[in-house]
Amino acid sequence: MKLHEKDRGEDKESDSVKKKLDWSCSLLVASLTGAFGSSFLYGYNLSVVNAPTPYIKAFYNESWQRRHEHPIDPDTLTLLWSVTVSIFAIGGLVGTLMVKMIGKVLGSGVEATWEGRGETQCRRLTRLGSEKGELVQVQVGRKRTLLANNGFAISAALLMACSLQAGAFEMLIVGRFIMGINGGIALSVLPMYLSEISPKQIRGSLGQVTAIFICIGVFTGQLLGLPELLGKESTWPYLFGVIVVPAVVQLLSLPFLPDSPCYLLLEKHNEARAVKAFQTFLGKADVSQEVEEVLADSRVQRNIRLVSVLELLRAPNVRWQVVTVIVTMACYQLCGLNAIWFYTNSIFGNAGIPPANIPYVTLSTGGVETLAAIFSSLVIERLGRRPLLIGGFGLMALFFGTLTITLTLQDRAHWVPYLSIVCILAIIASFCSGPGGIPFILTGEFFQQSQRPAAFIIAGTVNWLSNFAVGLLFPFIQKSLDTYCFLVFATICISGASYLYFVLPETKNRTHAEISQAFSKRNKAYPPEEKIDSAVTDDKTNGRPEQDSSTLDNYVKNRIV
C-alpha cells in the first residue's frame, strides 16, 4: 500500500517536473516576442483609432479646405472616416492571401543558397517533383515570414505618424491598409508557428498567447489614447508611431531563435537542425520521443508538395475539419463583440457616468478582455477546447438576451443601466475565455504540415470577410432593429455552439493522427497518411521489417494528395 502511494507520489512529481520542462525559457521568449510583434499590433490597431477620432476628422477637414478652399461635405467626411476604419479589414484579407506569395519570394532566396553545395536532400525533393510534373516550391519558415512582416508594420507606422506633418490624409488611409496586410499575415503565420514549436501537453495554453496579446493590444490602444498620454490634438500621430516599437523588438530578438522544428523536419528535411530546435524550445537534451512523433509524418510527407487551397477544399478526408474551421472563424467575427463597442459609451452615459470619465471606465472592458484570455490559457489544458468554445458561445447568447432586456427597460429604473454594464463585461469575458483564441488553435491542430498553410489562408479569409461584413452591415441592422439587434448575434452564438456540440471532437493532448481519426467517420474517408503509418506499425509489431525509405518514396510518389 505504502509502495503504491510512493509510486503515485513519484509519478506526480515526474509529471510536475515534465510540465516545468515544457515551459522552457526559449519557448517563452519565442511566443512572447512573436506575439508582441504580431497579434499585439492587430489588437492595438483595432482600438487605437477610437480616441483620436475627432482630431483625425478635424485633420481631414483642414486638409480638404486647404486643397479645395471650402470645408468638406459631412457625407464625404463620413465616407472618408468609414474607409479609414474599414480598410484595415480589406488589408487583412489581402495579407492573408499574400502569405503563400511571400513564402515563394523569400523561398527563392533560400533556393539560391543551394548553389555549389551539391545535390542535397531538398534538391532531390525538387527533382522528384519535376519528374512527376508537379510544382514543388521552396518554402521558407514561419519565423522568416514573421520577420519580413515587420517591414509592413514599420512602413505603415511611418506613413500614419507623418500624415499630419505632411498634410496628406491619404497617408493615414494607406497606412491603415498596409497595417491590415500586416495583421492578415500575422494571424495566419503566428498561430502556425506557436502550434509547431509547442509540446502537445501545453499546445492549447501556448496557442492562447495569440488571443492574450490581441487583448493586451486593445487595452494598450485604449490606455495610450487617454488625454493625459497621447490622445490629444497635438500628439495623436504618435499613437500610430508607437507601432514601430513592437516591430523593432521582434526584429532584434526573433532571429536568435530557431525555426519551427516541424518545418525543419517535414519541409526542409534537416533532422540535425530540427533536433537542435526541439532541444532549444523544450529545454532538454533527450528529444527522441518528440522527433519520432514528427518523423512518423515525415516518412510519408517527405515527397509531398504543399496542398493548395482548392485541393484542401476538395479533399474528402478533411472535409469536416475545413467546415468546422469556417464555422468557428465566422462565429468568431459574427458573434457581435464588435457591436458591443458601439453601445459602450451610451450605456456608460445612461448609468450616470460623466462623459469626461467614460474613456477611463472603458478601460475596464480592455482589462476584462485581458484577464479572461489569461484565465483561458490557464485552464484550457485541464478543461479542453470543447467546453471553453461551446460554453463561451452559450454564455454570450445568454448575456446578449439579458442585454436586450436591460436596454429595452433602461428607463424604467435607475439601476437597470448598471445591469447593462455588467452584461457588457460578461459578454466580453465569455468571448475571451474561449471563442476569442481557440479558433486559431484548432486550425493548427486539425491539419497536417502540408495542409496547414492552405488551412490558415481559408481561416484568415473567412475571418477578414466576416469582419468586413459586420462593419458594413451592423449600422443597418442597428438602425432597423435598435436594441433588438443583439438578438441576431445571440442566434449566431446559439447556432455556432450547437454545431460545435455535435461536430467538434476534443483535441486536447491529441496528435494530428488521433484528431483525424475522430473526424474519419463523419468524413467517410480514412486519411491516407495514417494508413501508411498504421501499416508500418503493424509490420513492426508482427516482426516484419519496416519498409525502407525508397519503397516508401515510390509509394508516396504514385499516390495523389
Side-chain angles (χ1 to χ4, degrees):
M1 183 76 177
K2 288 182 180 179
L3 186 61
H4 288 308
E5 288 178 0
K6 184 179 178 183
D7 290 341
R8 281 197 296 269
E10 288 176 355
D11 290 340
K12 287 181 180 178
E13 189 177 346
S14 65
D15 289 342
S16 176
V17 171
K18 187 177 180 182
K19 218 167 190 178
K20 288 178 183 177
L21 286 173
D22 286 337
W23 288 95
S24 69
C25 181
S26 297
L27 193 62
L28 284 172
V29 171
S31 59
L32 295 180
T33 56
F36 184 53
S38 302
S39 59
F40 172 86
L41 288 179
Y42 168 75
Y44 182 80
N45 280 278
L46 287 179
S47 64
V48 73
V49 293
N50 295 335
T53 297
Y55 307 126
I56 296 175
K57 286 184 176 180
F59 163 56
Y60 282 9
N61 187 36
E62 183 184 321
S63 301
W64 187 279
Q65 190 164 5
R66 191 187 312 114
R67 295 178 192 177
H68 304 283
E69 298 182 351
H70 63 81
I72 191 172
D73 181 74
D75 292 336
T76 306
L77 180 61
T78 302
L79 177 62
L80 281 175
W81 180 245
S82 299
V83 169
T84 304
V85 174
S86 61
I87 203 168
F88 181 71
I90 298 173
L93 177 59
V94 172
T96 300
L97 299 176
M98 282 177 61
V99 169
K100 195 169 184 180
M101 184 189 74
I102 291 173
K104 293 177 187 176
V105 172
L106 295 177
S108 62
V110 176
E111 193 171 10
T113 63
W114 286 353
E115 299 299 331
R117 294 188 183 183
E119 187 177 43
T120 62
Q121 190 172 10
C122 293
R123 183 178 286 280
R124 286 198 298 274
L125 172 62
T126 304
R127 178 171 53 80
L128 282 169
S130 301
E131 288 172 359
K132 293 186 291 178
E134 296 173 350
L135 181 62
V136 182
Q137 289 145 351
V138 184
Q139 296 290 330
V140 296
R142 324 302 180 209
K143 186 185 78 172
R144 186 175 294 196
T145 305
L146 287 175
L147 289 171
N149 194 32
N150 289 306
F152 291 108
I154 293 172
S155 59
L158 293 175
L159 279 171
M160 293 187 288
C162 298
S163 60
L164 179 63
Q165 190 174 0
F169 60 80
E170 295 88 352
M171 292 172 64
L172 184 60
I173 296 173
V174 172
R176 286 279 295 172
F177 175 74
I178 295 174
M179 206 60 233
I181 293 176
N182 172 272
I185 295 171
L187 292 187
S188 296
V189 179
L190 177 66
M192 239 192 301
Y193 182 63
L194 295 180
S195 173
E196 292 174 3
I197 68 173
S198 58
K200 66 180 181 181
Q201 292 83 1
I202 59 169
R203 192 171 56 208
S205 297
L206 198 68
Q208 280 294 81
V209 170
T210 301
I212 291 172
F213 271 81
I214 290 175
C215 297
I216 294 174
V218 170
F219 181 74
T220 304
Q222 294 171 340
L223 183 65
L224 294 181
L226 293 176
E228 290 80 4
L229 297 175
L230 299 177
K232 294 180 287 196
E233 188 172 6
S234 59
T235 58
W236 67 261
Y238 297 115
L239 282 169
F240 300 102
V242 167
I243 292 169
V244 169
V245 176
V248 170
V249 168
Q250 190 180 83
L251 274 174
L252 294 177
S253 53
L254 210 54
F256 297 99
L257 294 164
D259 214 319
S260 151
C262 296
Y263 162 78
L264 293 171
L265 202 54
L266 299 184
E267 293 183 33
K268 298 297 289 180
H269 311 290
N270 192 325
E271 188 171 342
R273 283 181 62 194
V275 168
K276 278 189 178 181
F278 269 126
Q279 290 171 339
T280 301
F281 285 130
L282 302 184
K284 60 182 182 180
D286 183 13
V287 293
S288 55
Q289 182 181 348
E290 288 79 7
V291 171
E292 185 54 38
E293 286 178 0
V294 181
L295 277 175
D297 288 333
S298 177
R299 280 191 289 268
V300 175
Q301 296 183 47
R302 185 166 58 239
N303 294 329
I304 299 177
R305 59 185 173 86
L306 293 180
V307 174
S308 70
V309 171
L310 193 58
E311 288 170 329
L312 187 64
L313 290 172
R314 289 175 174 174
N317 61 296
V318 292
R319 183 178 293 118
W320 279 96
Q321 289 95 312
V322 171
V323 172
T324 303
V325 164
I326 291 173
V327 169
T328 52
M329 275 298 176
C331 290
Y332 170 77
Q333 288 291 350
L334 300 177
C335 66
L337 190 74
N338 292 336
I340 286 293
W341 308 118
F342 183 86
Y343 271 94
T344 301
N345 288 353
S346 62
I347 291 172
F348 287 165
N350 290 332
I353 297 170
N357 294 339
I358 287 178
Y360 304 95
V361 180
T362 304
L363 283 175
S364 64
T365 59
V368 168
E369 271 191 307
T370 305
L371 291 175
I374 293 172
F375 166 78
S376 177
S377 70
L378 295 175
V379 302
I380 189 171
E381 294 303 345
R382 292 185 180 182
L383 300 180
R385 286 66 155 150
R386 245 178 81 87
L388 288 175
L389 199 55
I390 297 170
F393 281 128
L395 288 174
M396 286 183 74
L398 174 64
F399 290 119
F400 270 131
T402 307
L403 181 61
T404 302
I405 296 171
T406 57
L407 289 175
T408 305
L409 304 176
Q410 64 182 358
D411 297 328
R412 302 293 180 88
H414 70 279
W415 51 268
V416 176
Y418 292 98
L419 188 56
S420 299
I421 294 175
V422 173
C423 288
I424 285 178
L425 296 178
I427 289 168
I428 293 170
S430 301
F431 175 81
C432 293
S433 62
I438 293 177
F440 298 102
I441 298 172
L442 293 180
T443 307
E445 292 180 327
F446 282 172
F447 302 95
Q448 66 184 25
Q449 188 78 8
S450 60
Q451 298 167 335
R452 208 167 284 147
F456 272 97
I457 289 175
I458 294 171
T461 301
V462 173
N463 176 33
W464 291 103
L465 284 176
S466 302
N467 184 310
F468 182 74
V470 169
L472 186 66
L473 299 177
F474 177 71
F476 300 101
I477 296 173
Q478 190 273 330
K479 187 176 181 180
S480 58
L481 298 179
D482 197 30
T483 55
Y484 293 98
C485 67
F486 290 111
L487 294 179
V488 175
F489 301 120
T491 303
I492 292 172
C493 289
I494 291 172
S495 302
S498 301
Y499 171 87
L500 295 170
Y501 178 80
F502 289 107
V503 175
L504 179 67
E506 182 53 68
T507 62
K508 180 185 73 172
N509 288 339
R510 286 187 171 187
T511 63
H512 167 260
E514 292 167 340
I515 295 169
S516 297
Q517 178 64 34
F519 274 107
S520 62
K521 288 183 181 179
R522 194 174 294 276
N523 286 325
K524 297 179 181 178
Y526 201 89
E529 69 272 11
E530 290 172 28
K531 288 182 179 178
I532 297 176
D533 287 344
S534 60
V536 172
T537 305
D538 291 343
D539 286 346
K540 287 182 179 179
T541 305
N542 297 327
R544 293 192 297 271
E546 186 182 345
Q547 297 180 28
D548 61 23
S549 177
S550 60
T551 306
L552 263 175
D553 287 349
N554 292 331
Y555 184 88
V556 175
K557 281 169 63 181
N558 292 325
R559 70 185 179 88
I560 299 172
V561 180

